[in-house]
Amino acid sequence: MATAHIMASGMCGIRTAGDLVAWMQLTRQMKIDAAKQYVAEKLKIDVADLCNEDVMQNVRKKLDIGNICAAADGVKGITAKSRIADLLDISINSVNLFKSKLNAPLN
Amino acid sequence: MSDHILIRMGDGERISMSPDEVKEDLLAGTQDAAEMGEIPPLTSDECEHLYEIFADPNRIVSVSPGEEVITTDDGASGIMVVDQPDGGTALPMGYFNAVLAFERICCADTAGMGHYDYSCKPIKSIINYEKQRYYMYSQATTIPLIYGTQPNLGLYFQPDGPFPNAAELIPQGKIEEARRAQEMAAEALTEDLVFCAKELYDVGCDGFNFDTSGSAGDADFCATLKAVAELKKIAPDMALEVGMASEFVLGLHGEIEYNGKRLAGMFPHEQVKIAEEAGADIFGPAINVSATESTPWNLARAVTFVKETVAVANIPVHPNVGMGVCGVPMVEVPPIDSVTRSSKALVQIGKADGL
């Protein structure tokens, strides 16, 4: 049933720009139109192309922020989220924790 | 246009209705919501739009390009691994793989996860395991990962919990005793919700979903709101989603207030404002489904409530669209035709920010 909703009305996550727009709702409480506008400006694309796989796959590859078709050397998971936080200029809790561990002094 | 339209009843049964019968049910559904919630009914254009969604002869319908919204869920990926009572398919795989499949095969915008029991109380005693799971999953997921749990105040009453059972005290006429029991139980629930969410925040939790809030009435909802307010102070980088259990906050206590507002009797457009006051980032209204009414009646009703809720909200609104809420039939395997009609109508007419 969840998949039916995703196909009928969802943005389709990393297949397009769904995760990016979702991050704006979670971190800035943005309503859907404002969140889409914000992400489109950051990606320098039209709002209409946020769910256009033909455009978004190239954008995601170029920015290296995680793709649905996984390249062996493409980023995924926390590395992708770290790049997304920088791209969207947002604070992501899991990324902050990851970076704090990564950059913590050894002694 | 066909002179008969295949639709579903609220229990999933497929029946045939004439266009006039569908239109009558749409009107009756929106009027019922308007009267109950004291909100505007759908306009005639909106009713016509909803009629066209039902009259579409295609089995599956969808929004148009550019109208897509965000999906959040209640641990939907877990459906791959759990079994029948949770609507699951019992695939021989782990929850971790299910979450990754939800991200990369189902292409969800966010992924929910949670403990199999899903209620807050049993999670407290195994929180370290949940922290390990969340941390491990969040290293591998790119989409936002949201930990969900049900406040479920009912588990705090005897014999499951330590407090006198309000549902037993009320029929005995012990109203004040029942109220005190609910207040004490709600206090314990708030403490547990804050404890679990803060522990998860410390391992990088990006989102926490209070799912089916208010299931045990106004005290249950109040406990959730207090937990949200506290977490906004001590876990500011974690999004908080408040999803409701039903369209109407039951007054099992009757006098509980939050910020001076009585919670009993609140409808979705009022619930969202109090959730905003507490600090919620996303609100999920749940509009009840009547199994004996048609899906046109049920969905018109749901869209009417959702439209008003979105109109007054300053935060994203994601209507709950699982089994038996917001126009989705109350049946173990909800038919795809009804699911997608609900999806389309709530976005196009209800103007939902997500589902």
Side-chain angles (χ1 to χ4, degrees):
Chain A
M1 182 167 53
T3 311
H5 285 301
I6 292 167
M7 293 302 120
S9 302
M11 290 193 71
C12 291
I14 59 173
R15 191 175 167 85
T16 61
D19 58 326
L20 309 180
V21 175
W23 280 118
M24 299 320 300
Q25 290 203 336
L26 264 67
T27 61
R28 301 267 180 93
Q29 299 184 339
M30 285 184 173
K31 306 277 274 182
I32 187 68
D33 291 343
K36 284 181 174 179
Q37 187 65 44
Y38 182 92
V39 172
E41 285 173 12
K42 289 290 183 185
L43 299 179
K44 299 183 175 62
I45 63 172
D46 290 340
V47 171
D49 282 331
L50 289 173
C51 282
N52 181 351
E53 289 89 341
D54 183 47
V55 169
M56 275 310 301
Q57 281 311 290
N58 288 329
V59 169
R60 295 194 79 107
K61 277 181 193 165
K62 184 179 160 195
L63 296 171
D64 200 11
I65 54 172
N67 261 56
I68 190 72
C69 292
D73 62 346
V75 304
K76 303 175 186 70
I78 196 71
T79 319
K81 276 190 285 201
S82 299
R83 293 179 61 77
I84 288 167
D86 290 341
L87 171 70
L88 298 179
D89 191 24
I90 56 175
S91 175
I92 296 179
N93 190 35
S94 56
V95 168
N96 295 342
L97 179 73
F98 174 70
K99 286 183 175 175
S100 72
K101 298 278 187 191
L102 193 67
N103 300 320
L106 290 170
N107 51 18
Chain B
M1 191 72 73
S2 166
D3 60 352
H4 279 88
I5 299 168
L6 289 176
I7 60 105
R8 303 273 178 180
M9 291 298 289
D11 65 358
E13 181 191 3
R14 182 149 66 187
I15 62 166
S16 172
M17 291 175 80
S18 71
D20 283 347
E21 287 172 329
V22 171
K23 287 177 182 177
E24 280 169 20
D25 274 12
L26 292 172
L27 194 58
T30 189
Q31 284 174 343
D32 187 73
E35 284 166 19
M36 286 189 76
E38 297 179 351
I39 55 176
L42 297 179
T43 65
S44 55
D45 283 352
E46 288 165 339
C47 282
E48 184 61 28
H49 187 168
L50 196 45
Y51 169 76
E52 286 169 6
I53 291 173
F54 277 104
D56 189 323
N58 291 297
R59 187 172 69 99
I60 294 171
V61 300
S62 77
V63 300
S64 303
E67 294 179 333
E68 301 90 344
V69 297
I70 295 305
T71 56
T72 51
D73 65 85
D74 54 352
S77 58
I79 283 169
M80 297 181 207
V81 292
V82 298
D83 70 346
Q84 190 184 19
D86 295 309
T89 56
L91 284 169
M93 65 194 287
Y95 208 131
F96 183 30
N97 288 335
V99 168
L100 292 179
F102 200 56
E103 171 181 278
R104 299 174 197 181
I105 305 298
C106 301
C107 301
D109 298 310
T110 67
M113 65 167 285
H115 182 252
Y116 294 101
D117 185 280
Y118 212 53
S119 290
C120 173
K121 188 161 163 265
I123 292 168
K124 189 179 181 184
S125 57
I126 56 155
I127 192 65
N128 281 348
Y129 297 97
E130 294 304 277
K131 287 167 72 176
Q132 289 286 354
R133 285 178 64 222
Y134 187 93
Y135 183 77
M136 179 174 66
Y137 295 10
S138 78
Q139 299 303 298
T141 48
T142 300
I143 61 176
L145 182 63
I146 300 173
Y147 190 94
T149 188
Q150 296 174 323
N152 199 355
L153 186 70
L155 289 184
Y156 290 77
F157 298 121
Q158 296 164 3
D160 298 310
F163 302 104
N165 196 320
E168 290 177 357
L169 293 168
I170 292 170
Q172 295 168 26
K174 297 178 179 175
I175 306 302
E176 280 312 308
E177 290 88 337
R179 283 181 173 149
R180 296 296 83 77
Q182 290 179 76
E183 288 162 13
M184 289 187 291
E187 202 172 307
L189 172 57
T190 300
E191 199 175 291
D192 288 354
L193 286 166
V194 171
F195 173 82
C196 291
K198 178 63 169 61
E199 288 289 313
L200 287 157
Y201 181 71
D202 291 343
V203 294
C205 188
D206 290 317
F208 194 88
N209 181 10
F210 299 83
D211 190 15
T212 62
S213 302
S215 62
D218 45 356
D220 185 309
F221 189 35
C222 188
T224 301
L225 295 171
K226 285 182 176 174
V228 168
E230 178 63 16
L231 286 164
K232 264 298 141 192
K233 293 181 205 156
I234 62 174
D237 281 341
M238 181 168 67
L240 302 174
E241 181 169 13
V242 174
M244 296 303 294
S246 70
E247 67 191 32
F248 181 81
V249 179
L250 292 171
L252 291 179
H253 183 289
E255 293 182 342
I256 283 192
E257 295 183 347
Y258 182 82
N259 280 357
K261 297 179 184 75
R262 185 169 173 262
L263 299 178
M266 279 190 172
F267 280 98
H269 60 289
E270 298 158 326
Q271 296 162 9
V272 70
K273 298 311 289 180
I274 203 78
E276 273 180 14
E277 276 184 38
D281 297 287
I282 297 175
F283 178 72
I287 315 304
N288 305 356
V289 158
S290 169
T292 56
E293 297 284 357
S294 69
T295 45
W297 187 91
N298 279 301
L299 190 51
R301 207 169 164 283
V303 171
T304 306
F305 274 122
V306 167
K307 182 189 160 200
E308 182 65 11
T309 304
V310 173
V312 301
N314 295 313
I315 58 175
V317 174
H318 292 196
N320 296 358
V321 282
M323 179 204 304
V325 282
C326 285
V328 176
M330 186 65 189
V331 60
E332 189 173 273
V333 183
I336 296 298
D337 46 280
S338 292
V339 172
T340 57
R341 276 163 178 76
S342 181
S343 203
K344 180 174 183 172
L346 291 165
V347 173
Q348 288 191 329
I349 307 170
K351 306 297 180 191
D353 300 286
L355 295 171

